[in-house]
Amino acid sequence: MPRASNPQADRSSEPANSRRSRASGRVTLSDVAEAAGVSSMTVSRALRGERRVAPALVEKVREVAASLGYVPDLAARALASQKSTQVLVLVPMLSNTLFVDVLEAAHKVLFARGYHMLIGVTHYDPQEEEQLLRAYLPMRPAGLLLTGFDHSEASRKLLAANPVPRVHLMELHPTERSQGTYSVGFSQTQAGAEITQHLLDKGYRRIAFCAAQLDARVMQRLEGFRQVLKQANLYDPALEFLDPERSSMALGARQFEALMKSQHAVDAIFFCNDDIAQGALLAASRLGVQVPQQVAIAGFNDLPGSDQMVPPLTTIHTPRSEVGEKAATMLLQLLDGEAVKQPCMDLGFTLVPRSST
């Protein structure tokens, strides 16, 4: 006669690491507690490293948790304790070295203090940023690192309704002493003005501005370009070439070729980013256009490879690693309840003159 099945006996005979939460299939805190022969509260305290749990028991619980493949539910822990170890970082692109440098530096600072980054990519789209905020704010991150101030009205309302400590990257707040606003960056407008002034000082008079993406920071560089040329009575709006397409070397080559074929006589071009300037230099080589003898070329951001171009590219060096480090440090101060002495931190920029101008 077949033996009746005993579900409880069957379950107890299963390997410990095969038992999972029925709802999610994940190993739960209760699974670890059962396997270790302690309460769920003891497991929680042991995994958090609380001193009230004996070191030997902490080691045992951690060994059991590791053998089961247990991963703490950080969202649930944040809801229960009103604390989180996650920091939401929103950047425009991951394909741009500039923002990779920012993230690397911020990660080092935050990770050393036990915080982990949630990374969202906005693709320079305020509506996409809004969607990311709606997705991540319910997870109650400890803090936010946001690129710039170009938010949709809905995003501004979300941020106001969820007063999470936040620091803005790469830009300075338009009102330097704005109460409760924290930023780390530099003046994009001043940087655009300085490289334009450099071109004037070198004797160039017909200076074009070629741009891509047209995000807020690019438009601030354009404003600096305009200010300097207007003061010199040399501003010509016909020499502004603004393309909303994503910045790339291929776009820079197309912009340069189109400008050379046009009726616009120019002796210098300020490209809003190094990648399009690099593309322009390659196109100049293909077309047999001598740089800077026939036309000077300048870029922005001092991206990798700019110093290796032929000729090496004149550009603005931006302190992106320092921006990431200082912004993360400032956010930690806010999380610790400390007063921030310099809420609007201007790290400046450096003009790097090279042979292309």
Side-chain angles (χ1 to χ4, degrees):
M1 181 176 179
R3 183 178 177 182
S5 174
N6 185 336
Q8 185 63 35
D10 290 344
R11 185 179 184 279
S12 63
S13 64
E14 292 177 356
N17 62 2
S18 72
R19 297 198 294 274
R20 300 290 186 269
S21 163
R22 291 183 181 180
S24 65
R26 294 173 49 147
V27 175
T28 67
L29 193 74
S30 297
D31 294 330
V32 177
E34 181 181 349
V38 296
S39 69
S40 295
M41 181 61 72
T42 298
V43 170
S44 179
R45 289 171 175 168
L47 294 179
R48 289 201 302 268
E50 292 190 12
R51 294 181 179 179
R52 71 182 78 181
V53 183
L57 185 53
V58 169
E59 184 177 355
K60 176 185 177 182
V61 168
R62 288 180 174 173
E63 287 177 354
V64 170
S67 69
L68 296 178
Y70 172 68
V71 177
D73 188 337
L74 297 180
R77 179 182 292 178
L79 287 171
S81 65
Q82 299 298 308
K83 293 182 180 180
S84 172
T85 59
Q86 297 176 323
V87 170
L88 175 60
V89 187
L90 298 186
V91 295
M93 295 291 291
L94 288 178
S95 58
N96 190 328
T97 304
L98 185 152
F99 295 109
V100 174
D101 291 343
V102 171
L103 290 172
E104 285 277 1
H107 165 75
K108 289 180 181 179
V109 174
L110 294 172
F111 190 73
R113 283 284 306 275
Y115 288 94
H116 309 281
M117 296 195 309
L118 293 170
I119 300 173
V121 181
T122 67
H123 299 104
Y124 293 94
D125 185 348
Q127 304 305 318
E128 196 161 338
E129 180 188 61
E130 177 189 328
Q131 293 176 21
L132 289 167
L133 289 172
R134 291 190 186 280
Y136 284 117
L137 284 176
M139 300 175 68
R140 300 189 182 183
L144 305 177
L145 293 176
L146 305 178
T147 304
F149 294 92
D150 187 24
H151 311 304
S152 69
E153 185 58 32
S155 289
R156 294 182 193 282
K157 290 179 180 179
L158 281 171
L159 293 170
N162 296 270
V164 179
R166 67 180 185 269
V167 177
H168 297 262
L169 307 166
M170 300 306 294
E171 290 181 44
L172 304 176
H173 193 273
T175 305
E176 185 175 346
R177 298 186 182 277
S178 179
Q179 187 68 29
T181 301
Y182 301 89
S183 60
V184 177
F186 58 95
S187 172
Q188 301 276 347
T189 302
Q190 289 180 11
E194 181 155 331
I195 199 162
T196 306
Q197 186 62 53
H198 164 75
L199 293 172
L200 284 180
D201 292 344
K202 297 290 287 188
Y204 303 110
R205 291 298 179 264
R206 294 283 294 170
I207 305 172
F209 181 84
C210 289
Q213 289 169 173
L214 311 187
D215 61 272
R217 287 166 297 286
V218 166
M219 302 310 288
Q220 289 165 27
R221 293 167 208 164
L222 172 59
E223 180 58 28
F225 167 85
R226 288 172 173 170
Q227 288 175 5
V228 169
L229 290 183
K230 286 178 180 178
Q231 289 174 359
N233 293 318
L234 292 172
Y235 175 65
D236 183 351
L239 298 184
E240 292 179 0
F241 303 91
L242 311 181
D243 193 324
E245 184 180 330
R246 183 177 298 176
S247 180
S248 69
M249 293 177 70
L251 175 60
R254 292 198 302 271
Q255 287 181 327
F256 183 81
E257 290 169 0
L259 188 51
M260 292 299 100
K261 293 176 182 177
S262 73
Q263 300 302 312
H264 299 288
V266 300
D267 54 13
I269 311 170
F270 170 19
F271 286 91
C272 76
N273 200 38
D274 271 14
D275 56 353
I276 54 176
Q278 290 171 1
L281 283 172
L282 293 173
S285 178
R286 288 195 300 271
L287 296 172
V289 177
Q290 292 184 315
V291 178
Q293 291 84 352
Q294 291 176 261
V295 61
I297 292 177
F300 198 97
N301 278 322
D302 197 16
L303 297 180
S306 288
D307 60 342
Q308 299 301 311
M309 300 301 294
V310 180
L313 179 65
T314 292
T315 187
I316 292 286
H317 178 78
T318 53
R320 54 258 192 188
S321 292
E322 193 176 359
V323 167
E325 176 191 346
K326 298 296 186 183
T329 301
M330 185 180 291
L331 183 62
L332 289 177
Q333 288 180 285
L334 294 173
L335 294 175
D336 291 340
E338 298 179 7
V340 176
K341 295 181 180 179
Q342 192 177 354
C344 183
M345 185 177 292
D346 186 352
L347 299 180
F349 54 85
T350 305
L351 173 68
V352 184
R354 296 191 180 112
S355 302
S356 69
T357 57

